[in-house]
Amino acid sequence: FASKLPIIDLLVREAGFDVVALEAPFTVMNDLETYIQGGPGNPRALLHAIGSLYFFWDSEEVVAAVEWMREYNAHRGQKPAVHIAGFDSFLPYPASRAVLAYLNSVDPAGAPTALTQYACVTSETQFITPSCAVQARAVRDSLTEREAELTAKSSPASFQEALQNARVVAQNEFSSGLQRDRAMSENARWLRQYRGASRKIILWGHNFHFSKTATEWIGAEPMGKLLLDSLGDEYFVVGTLSAAGSFRQWDFRKQVTVTTTILPLQPTSIETHLRQRGEPFLLVPLRGVLPSWLANPARYNTGGTVVAPNLLAIVESLPEHYDAALFIDTIAPITPIQINGFRQAGVCCASAAGAADFR
């Protein structure tokens, strides 16, 4: 995770990227957006409050990235501000409350109808039922049909935010992981259009979601494939590889984070070849003419956020999935967020910084 901040710094200062989007809830991350734009807030408390569903953002390394963005914005001069956002759709309740707050401000007479339709979405809701999804889509469709009217009563930006929140609520009728990846790709494209000025966005999340083609673990359409289909060469993804060390995962059985050690390398592992270069960090291009050990299917280690030993070693052709790889020889678990002097449980996992140039 610590390696992501220099990447963000480089892309913002030298390449004009102005949105950093995390695999985190769309609406909840808006509180961090207020903070990095100079408003009030406590990033440690906000990241810790996301809960066990997003425990991997509960880390001091992420706090450092947030503080960097706030500091950059405070001293950016004439350069565009950098924004933070979430492109995931979990936690529909905050999104539904944002829609209701908008309607209460611009259409108090019509807001009770939406409140009734959202009665099935509570603070305990993780996924909405099919019947609830019908009601959620009705709210979304009503907003869409009334775009001109509601925009005139507010502003184009505030209407689009409300409509996107309504989409997020409806996205939470999950029947498969693929449905989530479709939702995340939609949200990333929305952020490209409505956040920032450059239409250049950094996506930060797990390798598998950003893959340019099907993987054994995600299936036929990870969000990366969908983004590649719509953006072509404007989508560029950097996967992360590590040769040794440990990271943290969530153990659902015990409801705690646990430390997991990366599997020992095999002689034919991709990391073994990279380690022979003797460098602690390498940025490895995966385009053009490549050596056979890198171009062909080969073993490499990876780690998911959830304890599942079968996810720790896979065999694939890395260039089919990523445009480049950031190789970190040895990793260690992240530093859990400290609140009131106490450390909270955190996690570090294999992840990707997917950079998409949307110009």
PDB file of all heavy atoms in Angstrom, residues 149-169:
ATOM      1  N   GLU A 149     -36.372  19.019 -15.070  1.00  0.00           N
ATOM      2  CA  GLU A 149     -37.086  19.716 -13.985  1.00  0.00           C
ATOM      3  C   GLU A 149     -36.226  19.834 -12.729  1.00  0.00           C
ATOM      4  O   GLU A 149     -36.100  20.928 -12.144  1.00  0.00           O
ATOM      5  CB  GLU A 149     -38.373  18.943 -13.664  1.00  0.00           C
ATOM      6  CG  GLU A 149     -39.093  19.411 -12.424  1.00  0.00           C
ATOM      7  CD  GLU A 149     -40.051  18.372 -11.873  1.00  0.00           C
ATOM      8  OE1 GLU A 149     -40.333  17.365 -12.575  1.00  0.00           O
ATOM      9  OE2 GLU A 149     -40.524  18.572 -10.731  1.00  0.00           O
ATOM     10  N   LEU A 150     -35.628  18.729 -12.307  1.00  0.00           N
ATOM     11  CA  LEU A 150     -34.864  18.737 -11.063  1.00  0.00           C
ATOM     12  C   LEU A 150     -33.544  19.492 -11.214  1.00  0.00           C
ATOM     13  O   LEU A 150     -33.084  20.143 -10.268  1.00  0.00           O
ATOM     14  CB  LEU A 150     -34.614  17.302 -10.599  1.00  0.00           C
ATOM     15  CG  LEU A 150     -35.871  16.512 -10.217  1.00  0.00           C
ATOM     16  CD1 LEU A 150     -35.525  15.066  -9.901  1.00  0.00           C
ATOM     17  CD2 LEU A 150     -36.582  17.157  -9.033  1.00  0.00           C
ATOM     18  N   THR A 151     -32.941  19.420 -12.391  1.00  0.00           N
ATOM     19  CA  THR A 151     -31.715  20.177 -12.625  1.00  0.00           C
ATOM     20  C   THR A 151     -31.980  21.670 -12.516  1.00  0.00           C
ATOM     21  O   THR A 151     -31.176  22.427 -11.951  1.00  0.00           O
ATOM     22  CB  THR A 151     -31.119  19.841 -14.001  1.00  0.00           C
ATOM     23  OG1 THR A 151     -30.774  18.455 -14.043  1.00  0.00           O
ATOM     24  CG2 THR A 151     -29.876  20.670 -14.278  1.00  0.00           C
ATOM     25  N   ALA A 152     -33.119  22.091 -13.051  1.00  0.00           N
ATOM     26  CA  ALA A 152     -33.485  23.514 -12.975  1.00  0.00           C
ATOM     27  C   ALA A 152     -33.692  23.962 -11.534  1.00  0.00           C
ATOM     28  O   ALA A 152     -33.456  25.124 -11.189  1.00  0.00           O
ATOM     29  CB  ALA A 152     -34.744  23.772 -13.797  1.00  0.00           C
ATOM     30  N   LYS A 153     -34.112  23.056 -10.667  1.00  0.00           N
ATOM     31  CA  LYS A 153     -34.349  23.391  -9.266  1.00  0.00           C
ATOM     32  C   LYS A 153     -33.077  23.307  -8.425  1.00  0.00           C
ATOM     33  O   LYS A 153     -33.069  23.752  -7.275  1.00  0.00           O
ATOM     34  CB  LYS A 153     -35.397  22.449  -8.672  1.00  0.00           C
ATOM     35  CG  LYS A 153     -36.802  22.627  -9.240  1.00  0.00           C
ATOM     36  CD  LYS A 153     -37.770  21.663  -8.565  1.00  0.00           C
ATOM     37  CE  LYS A 153     -39.197  21.858  -9.079  1.00  0.00           C
ATOM     38  NZ  LYS A 153     -40.139  20.915  -8.422  1.00  0.00           N
ATOM     39  N   SER A 154     -32.012  22.720  -8.985  1.00  0.00           N
ATOM     40  CA  SER A 154     -30.772  22.563  -8.215  1.00  0.00           C
ATOM     41  C   SER A 154     -29.596  22.999  -9.079  1.00  0.00           C
ATOM     42  O   SER A 154     -29.373  24.180  -9.289  1.00  0.00           O
ATOM     43  CB  SER A 154     -30.631  21.117  -7.738  1.00  0.00           C
ATOM     44  OG  SER A 154     -30.732  20.198  -8.819  1.00  0.00           O
ATOM     45  N   SER A 155     -28.854  22.040  -9.613  1.00  0.00           N
ATOM     46  CA  SER A 155     -27.753  22.298 -10.526  1.00  0.00           C
ATOM     47  C   SER A 155     -27.448  20.998 -11.244  1.00  0.00           C
ATOM     48  O   SER A 155     -27.805  19.916 -10.759  1.00  0.00           O
ATOM     49  CB  SER A 155     -26.510  22.782  -9.764  1.00  0.00           C
ATOM     50  OG  SER A 155     -25.970  21.728  -8.987  1.00  0.00           O
ATOM     51  N   PRO A 156     -26.781  21.063 -12.404  1.00  0.00           N
ATOM     52  CA  PRO A 156     -26.430  19.810 -13.096  1.00  0.00           C
ATOM     53  C   PRO A 156     -25.594  18.883 -12.224  1.00  0.00           C
ATOM     54  O   PRO A 156     -25.809  17.668 -12.209  1.00  0.00           O
ATOM     55  CB  PRO A 156     -25.643  20.302 -14.316  1.00  0.00           C
ATOM     56  CG  PRO A 156     -26.166  21.676 -14.582  1.00  0.00           C
ATOM     57  CD  PRO A 156     -26.452  22.249 -13.217  1.00  0.00           C
ATOM     58  N   ALA A 157     -24.637  19.444 -11.466  1.00  0.00           N
ATOM     59  CA  ALA A 157     -23.759  18.601 -10.645  1.00  0.00           C
ATOM     60  C   ALA A 157     -24.522  17.914  -9.524  1.00  0.00           C
ATOM     61  O   ALA A 157     -24.349  16.705  -9.296  1.00  0.00           O
ATOM     62  CB  ALA A 157     -22.624  19.448 -10.068  1.00  0.00           C
ATOM     63  N   SER A 158     -25.365  18.665  -8.812  1.00  0.00           N
ATOM     64  CA  SER A 158     -26.090  18.053  -7.687  1.00  0.00           C
ATOM     65  C   SER A 158     -27.108  17.035  -8.177  1.00  0.00           C
ATOM     66  O   SER A 158     -27.323  15.998  -7.529  1.00  0.00           O
ATOM     67  CB  SER A 158     -26.763  19.125  -6.837  1.00  0.00           C
ATOM     68  OG  SER A 158     -27.656  19.896  -7.606  1.00  0.00           O
ATOM     69  N   PHE A 159     -27.723  17.291  -9.340  1.00  0.00           N
ATOM     70  CA  PHE A 159     -28.650  16.286  -9.879  1.00  0.00           C
ATOM     71  C   PHE A 159     -27.912  15.010 -10.245  1.00  0.00           C
ATOM     72  O   PHE A 159     -28.377  13.904  -9.933  1.00  0.00           O
ATOM     73  CB  PHE A 159     -29.393  16.816 -11.113  1.00  0.00           C
ATOM     74  CG  PHE A 159     -30.191  15.742 -11.804  1.00  0.00           C
ATOM     75  CD1 PHE A 159     -31.423  15.337 -11.306  1.00  0.00           C
ATOM     76  CD2 PHE A 159     -29.685  15.090 -12.930  1.00  0.00           C
ATOM     77  CE1 PHE A 159     -32.143  14.312 -11.915  1.00  0.00           C
ATOM     78  CE2 PHE A 159     -30.393  14.069 -13.552  1.00  0.00           C
ATOM     79  CZ  PHE A 159     -31.625  13.682 -13.040  1.00  0.00           C
ATOM     80  N   GLN A 160     -26.768  15.131 -10.930  1.00  0.00           N
ATOM     81  CA  GLN A 160     -26.021  13.946 -11.342  1.00  0.00           C
ATOM     82  C   GLN A 160     -25.548  13.142 -10.133  1.00  0.00           C
ATOM     83  O   GLN A 160     -25.530  11.909 -10.171  1.00  0.00           O
ATOM     84  CB  GLN A 160     -24.847  14.338 -12.231  1.00  0.00           C
ATOM     85  CG  GLN A 160     -25.238  14.807 -13.625  1.00  0.00           C
ATOM     86  CD  GLN A 160     -25.963  13.735 -14.430  1.00  0.00           C
ATOM     87  OE1 GLN A 160     -25.772  12.532 -14.208  1.00  0.00           O
ATOM     88  NE2 GLN A 160     -26.789  14.161 -15.363  1.00  0.00           N
ATOM     89  N   GLU A 161     -25.155  13.824  -9.057  1.00  0.00           N
ATOM     90  CA  GLU A 161     -24.763  13.115  -7.830  1.00  0.00           C
ATOM     91  C   GLU A 161     -25.941  12.319  -7.273  1.00  0.00           C
ATOM     92  O   GLU A 161     -25.794  11.166  -6.858  1.00  0.00           O
ATOM     93  CB  GLU A 161     -24.253  14.108  -6.795  1.00  0.00           C
ATOM     94  CG  GLU A 161     -22.876  14.674  -7.086  1.00  0.00           C
ATOM     95  CD  GLU A 161     -21.749  13.703  -6.767  1.00  0.00           C
ATOM     96  OE1 GLU A 161     -21.978  12.770  -5.973  1.00  0.00           O
ATOM     97  OE2 GLU A 161     -20.649  13.883  -7.313  1.00  0.00           O
ATOM     98  N   ALA A 162     -27.122  12.945  -7.251  1.00  0.00           N
ATOM     99  CA  ALA A 162     -28.308  12.262  -6.729  1.00  0.00           C
ATOM    100  C   ALA A 162     -28.668  11.065  -7.592  1.00  0.00           C
ATOM    101  O   ALA A 162     -28.999   9.981  -7.086  1.00  0.00           O
ATOM    102  CB  ALA A 162     -29.474  13.244  -6.651  1.00  0.00           C
ATOM    103  N   LEU A 163     -28.615  11.252  -8.906  1.00  0.00           N
ATOM    104  CA  LEU A 163     -28.945  10.151  -9.812  1.00  0.00           C
ATOM    105  C   LEU A 163     -27.954   9.005  -9.668  1.00  0.00           C
ATOM    106  O   LEU A 163     -28.341   7.830  -9.668  1.00  0.00           O
ATOM    107  CB  LEU A 163     -28.962  10.659 -11.255  1.00  0.00           C
ATOM    108  CG  LEU A 163     -29.293   9.621 -12.336  1.00  0.00           C
ATOM    109  CD1 LEU A 163     -30.659   8.993 -12.093  1.00  0.00           C
ATOM    110  CD2 LEU A 163     -29.241  10.267 -13.727  1.00  0.00           C
ATOM    111  N   GLN A 164     -26.675   9.332  -9.523  1.00  0.00           N
ATOM    112  CA  GLN A 164     -25.678   8.285  -9.335  1.00  0.00           C
ATOM    113  C   GLN A 164     -25.898   7.534  -8.029  1.00  0.00           C
ATOM    114  O   GLN A 164     -25.770   6.304  -7.975  1.00  0.00           O
ATOM    115  CB  GLN A 164     -24.268   8.870  -9.382  1.00  0.00           C
ATOM    116  CG  GLN A 164     -23.153   7.890  -9.080  1.00  0.00           C
ATOM    117  CD  GLN A 164     -23.063   6.715 -10.050  1.00  0.00           C
ATOM    118  OE1 GLN A 164     -23.698   6.727 -11.106  1.00  0.00           O
ATOM    119  NE2 GLN A 164     -22.296   5.706  -9.692  1.00  0.00           N
ATOM    120  N   ASN A 165     -26.260   8.230  -6.971  1.00  0.00           N
ATOM    121  CA  ASN A 165     -26.584   7.550  -5.718  1.00  0.00           C
ATOM    122  C   ASN A 165     -27.776   6.619  -5.899  1.00  0.00           C
ATOM    123  O   ASN A 165     -27.799   5.503  -5.346  1.00  0.00           O
ATOM    124  CB  ASN A 165     -26.866   8.574  -4.618  1.00  0.00           C
ATOM    125  CG  ASN A 165     -25.601   9.041  -3.927  1.00  0.00           C
ATOM    126  OD1 ASN A 165     -24.882   8.264  -3.325  1.00  0.00           O
ATOM    127  ND2 ASN A 165     -25.327  10.337  -4.010  1.00  0.00           N
ATOM    128  N   ALA A 166     -28.766   7.046  -6.671  1.00  0.00           N
ATOM    129  CA  ALA A 166     -29.918   6.186  -6.933  1.00  0.00           C
ATOM    130  C   ALA A 166     -29.502   4.949  -7.724  1.00  0.00           C
ATOM    131  O   ALA A 166     -30.017   3.839  -7.487  1.00  0.00           O
ATOM    132  CB  ALA A 166     -30.986   6.972  -7.687  1.00  0.00           C
ATOM    133  N   ARG A 167     -28.581   5.111  -8.662  1.00  0.00           N
ATOM    134  CA  ARG A 167     -28.066   3.945  -9.399  1.00  0.00           C
ATOM    135  C   ARG A 167     -27.365   2.981  -8.445  1.00  0.00           C
ATOM    136  O   ARG A 167     -27.513   1.765  -8.551  1.00  0.00           O
ATOM    137  CB  ARG A 167     -27.084   4.394 -10.483  1.00  0.00           C
ATOM    138  CG  ARG A 167     -27.687   5.150 -11.649  1.00  0.00           C
ATOM    139  CD  ARG A 167     -26.676   5.238 -12.781  1.00  0.00           C
ATOM    140  NE  ARG A 167     -27.114   6.167 -13.810  1.00  0.00           N
ATOM    141  CZ  ARG A 167     -26.672   7.423 -13.924  1.00  0.00           C
ATOM    142  NH1 ARG A 167     -25.766   7.872 -13.063  1.00  0.00           N
ATOM    143  NH2 ARG A 167     -27.106   8.208 -14.881  1.00  0.00           N
ATOM    144  N   VAL A 168     -26.568   3.529  -7.540  1.00  0.00           N
ATOM    145  CA  VAL A 168     -25.812   2.697  -6.612  1.00  0.00           C
ATOM    146  C   VAL A 168     -26.753   1.851  -5.754  1.00  0.00           C
ATOM    147  O   VAL A 168     -26.507   0.663  -5.518  1.00  0.00           O
ATOM    148  CB  VAL A 168     -24.888   3.564  -5.741  1.00  0.00           C
ATOM    149  CG1 VAL A 168     -24.344   2.769  -4.559  1.00  0.00           C
ATOM    150  CG2 VAL A 168     -23.736   4.117  -6.575  1.00  0.00           C
ATOM    151  N   VAL A 169     -27.847   2.435  -5.280  1.00  0.00           N
ATOM    152  CA  VAL A 169     -28.811   1.665  -4.488  1.00  0.00           C
ATOM    153  C   VAL A 169     -29.318   0.483  -5.310  1.00  0.00           C
ATOM    154  O   VAL A 169     -29.334  -0.659  -4.841  1.00  0.00           O
ATOM    155  CB  VAL A 169     -29.985   2.548  -4.034  1.00  0.00           C
ATOM    156  CG1 VAL A 169     -30.978   1.698  -3.221  1.00  0.00           C
ATOM    157  CG2 VAL A 169     -29.505   3.721  -3.195  1.00  0.00           C
TER     158      VAL A 169
END
